[in-house]
Amino acid sequence: MTPVQAADSVAAWVQWVQSRLEQAQLTFGHGTDNAFDEAAWLVCHAVGIDPATLESAWQRTLDGACRDRLRMLTEERVRTRKPTAYLTQSAWFAGLRFYVDERVLVPRSYIGEWLQDGLAPWVAPQGVQRGLDLCTGSGCIAVATALAFPTASIDAIDLCADALEVARINVAAYELEERIRLVHSDLFAAVAGNRYDLITANPPYVGTEAMASLPPEYRHEPAAALAAGEDGLDIIVRILGQARRFLTDSGTLVLEAGSAAPALERAFDSIAFTWLTCADGTSPVLVLTAAELDEQAAALGR
Ligand SMILES: C[S@@+](CC[C@H](N)C(=O)[O-])C[C@H]1O[C@@H](n2cnc3c(N)ncnc32)[C@H](O)[C@@H]1O
């Protein structure tokens, strides 16, 4: 198949890749939600264009080497069903670029939307001196938090040592080694006695049934980053039960429950959770203050 436009322009090749991806009926959801955006991403990577400047490069001509690279990349995406983020070893989160590979989930937490605005109005601009990011994976939330709160120190925890190696690359890329401490731990275990103004978490929350029917793209991600027991609540329930002990009295917990949100509502039906509505109209992230966690201590089994 050849590009539909005569010129070997970026525009023509984006169109070609888009139609190839559509034809192959891939699943999107790792940084893009449609074939056009993903095609643009692949072209930018193969040609070496900063995606932010794509519009001005629209009529640029691809040389033979670029075209070969792009064809190979596109065919690899189609054949392996690997997310483009792994093929390009890059992902964007909260407007920031991150290194990623198959040791970590591809960053896409809805918490990023709120971090770009400093979690306003839920967290005061000067309100975070100490932060804790549980289940940090690539470190994307920890890095975005450190940049949103420039005087904050962050502890970033993961149970997977390999994931922490990826987080280390990202922390170094943003020169945040002085402010982000990477901690190998099962949730709060290694930070006993510490108190934080902000706890963020995008934990695993996919239930058993959903895990069994994941599209191939998601099977390239570490299962430990997704699977969380029968109803997807295994890790979330542990976080809710322990978070208060690690928050200051004015502290806040920001937790993504994603597809496990309905199960969470059912499991704790006496709690009126505050859900943040995101740009796409979904409400997968909850906010609980230390005071609310105190009020709900009995319901949370503390
Ligand atoms: C959904 S991924 C989130 C990664 C990253 N925060 C993001 O938003 O892209 C969940 C992460 O939790 C980690 N994890 C799973 N169980 C854990 C546990 N008990 N304690 C700490 N981290 C855990 C996994 O290794 C994985 O990196």
Side-chain angles (χ1 to χ4, degrees):
M1 200 172 183
T2 51
V4 291
Q5 295 188 18
D8 276 324
S9 63
V10 165
W13 277 91
V14 168
Q15 207 175 334
W16 179 79
V17 177
Q18 178 185 359
S19 69
R20 183 74 189 96
L21 299 182
E22 282 169 352
Q23 194 184 49
Q25 299 192 317
L26 306 181
T27 299
F28 305 107
H30 291 89
T32 70
D33 61 5
N34 63 80
F36 173 82
D37 287 348
E38 191 136 334
W41 184 0
L42 287 164
V43 171
C44 284
H45 180 76
V47 182
I49 298 170
D50 175 350
T53 66
L54 176 61
E55 236 164 87
S56 60
W58 216 232
Q59 293 310 326
R60 204 166 127 185
T61 301
L62 271 66
D63 64 22
C66 279
R67 293 196 301 267
D68 288 348
R69 222 173 13 250
L70 182 56
R71 275 197 207 92
M72 274 174 53
L73 205 53
T74 304
E75 291 315 314
E76 193 178 353
R77 173 73 179 91
V78 168
R79 183 174 43 80
T80 65
R81 303 281 304 259
K82 260 189 205 180
T84 290
Y86 290 148
L87 297 176
T88 62
Q89 297 197 316
S90 63
W92 278 263
F93 175 80
L96 305 165
R97 185 184 182 282
F98 288 91
Y99 169 86
V100 294
D101 63 32
E102 282 155 282
R103 292 174 288 180
V104 295
L105 187 95
V106 175
R108 55 180 175 276
S109 169
Y110 283 93
I111 294 172
E113 263 183 59
W114 297 85
L115 274 173
Q116 282 182 290
D117 293 329
L119 293 170
W122 309 103
V123 175
Q126 308 304 324
V128 182
Q129 291 310 316
R130 294 202 69 197
L132 172 64
D133 181 37
L134 294 169
C135 304
T136 201
S138 62
C140 57
I141 294 177
V143 167
T145 302
L147 297 177
F149 301 99
T151 57
S153 299
I154 315 288
D155 285 344
I157 280 177
D158 207 286
L159 184 58
C160 171
D162 281 349
L164 288 172
E165 286 311 307
V166 175
R168 201 173 306 287
I169 293 169
N170 288 314
V171 168
Y174 285 94
E175 299 181 0
L176 288 167
E177 296 96 326
E178 298 287 308
R179 292 204 290 126
I180 298 181
R181 183 170 70 114
L182 297 170
V183 184
H184 188 209
S185 174
D186 182 2
L187 296 182
F188 300 96
V191 292
N194 287 276
R195 296 270 179 168
Y196 302 92
D197 305 305
L198 173 68
I199 299 176
T200 49
N202 176 26
Y205 53 66
V206 182
T208 308
E209 209 177 304
M211 279 301 292
S213 56
L214 283 178
E217 276 79 356
Y218 293 85
R219 296 177 187 279
H220 287 282
E221 297 189 293
L226 297 167
E230 187 62 30
D231 54 7
L233 292 181
D234 282 9
I235 306 286
I236 289 176
V237 167
R238 287 176 58 199
I239 293 173
L240 289 176
Q242 296 178 62
R244 178 60 185 101
R245 268 192 287 137
F246 296 87
L247 280 174
T248 59
D249 289 345
S250 58
T252 305
L253 168 69
V254 177
L255 172 76
E256 178 160 329
S259 56
L264 185 62
E265 289 276 6
R266 282 194 299 277
F268 297 99
D269 60 357
S270 64
I271 303 179
F273 290 110
T274 301
W275 295 100
L276 307 186
T277 302
C278 296
D280 66 3
T282 61
S283 304
V285 177
L286 66 82
V287 175
L288 275 168
T289 62
E292 286 169 331
L293 283 163
D294 282 336
E295 281 166 27
Q296 302 300 341
L300 291 168
R302 288 192 285 113

